[in-house]
Amino acid sequence: MIADVLSDATARMNRALEAAKDDFGTVRTGRANPQMFAKILVSYYGTMTPLEQLASLQNQEARTMLIGPYDKAALRDIEIAIRDTPNLGANVGNDGTTIRATLPELTTERRKEFVKIVKAKAEDARISVRNIRRKAKDELDALKSEVGDDEVGRAEKELELITKSHVDGIDDAFKRKEAELLEI
């Protein structure tokens, strides 16, 4: 029973860590990467659809992304969605079959703003991990009458170690992203 609670908490914390890393990838760093564009939602026949499901994404140059829609009818909608995406600032143009999105150079002020955005995302991820820990601790406390205080105490210490390793993973990912953002 205790092992089930701990393995469930570990799996959920792993998902929270991966979600945080994916979230960090959507913040622009001055270089174009497909991950920044993948989560952009496009109105495709009335349904909001992620761009990665509607088009192929390729790096053409350091700051240019080449987007090839699978359905040419969606070309205009994709172009509008990229142009209207906040915090991206891409210059968008198309040649009738593909879209070129060019990212402008980042100013120092803009880089610092992006660091603040990533910092907020990191804190949200830490809160998520702590909420998972709290729920697992409540489940362990409910098991006290069945397995005893000593077993639950050991499990809580193990839960704290698991939580610390995941929070440290979020902090490491944040530091890497911050360094990437501030690199000129």
Side-chain angles (χ1 to χ4, degrees), residues 46-118:
T47 304
M48 297 309 282
T49 309
L51 179 58
E52 66 187 345
Q53 294 178 9
L54 296 175
S56 64
L57 304 169
Q58 300 171 340
N59 273 37
Q60 187 177 24
E61 297 170 7
R63 292 186 356 240
T64 304
M65 183 64 60
L66 192 64
I67 301 148
Y70 302 131
D71 179 6
K72 301 304 179 208
L75 188 79
R76 185 80 182 128
D77 293 330
I78 291 171
E79 190 175 354
I80 290 169
I82 292 170
R83 187 177 305 123
D84 294 346
T85 300
N87 296 325
L88 192 59
N91 298 321
V92 184
N94 77 58
D95 60 9
T97 57
T98 59
I99 298 170
R100 280 184 185 23
T102 305
L103 301 175
E105 281 290 329
L106 288 177
T107 64
T108 304
E109 296 160 5
R110 195 76 171 128
R111 290 176 189 274
K112 289 179 182 176
E113 286 177 33
F114 284 144
V115 168
K116 288 179 185 177
I117 291 169
V118 172

Side-chain angles (χ1 to χ4, degrees), residues 25 27 29 31-38 59 62 65 103 177 180:
V27 177
T29 59
R31 288 185 293 278
N33 70 1
Q35 194 175 14
M36 288 171 27
F37 291 84
N59 273 37
M65 183 64 60
L103 301 175
K177 187 66 175 186
E180 188 179 323

Side-chain angles (χ1 to χ4, degrees), residues 2 6 13 133 136-137 140-141 149-165:
I2 289 176
L6 291 176
M13 286 182 191
R133 177 190 65 193
K137 189 170 179 339
L140 289 172
D141 288 342
D149 290 343
D150 292 343
E151 290 295 319
V152 170
R154 279 189 220 102
E156 286 177 355
K157 287 179 184 173
E158 189 174 337
L159 180 63
E160 289 303 317
L161 291 173
I162 293 167
T163 303
K164 183 176 178 356
S165 71

Side-chain angles (χ1 to χ4, degrees), residues 10-31:
T10 302
R12 292 176 63 203
M13 286 182 191
N14 285 337
R15 286 193 299 272
L17 178 60
E18 289 307 311
K21 288 178 181 177
D22 287 346
D23 219 11
F24 292 167
T26 62
V27 177
R28 145 166 204 236
T29 59
R31 288 185 293 278

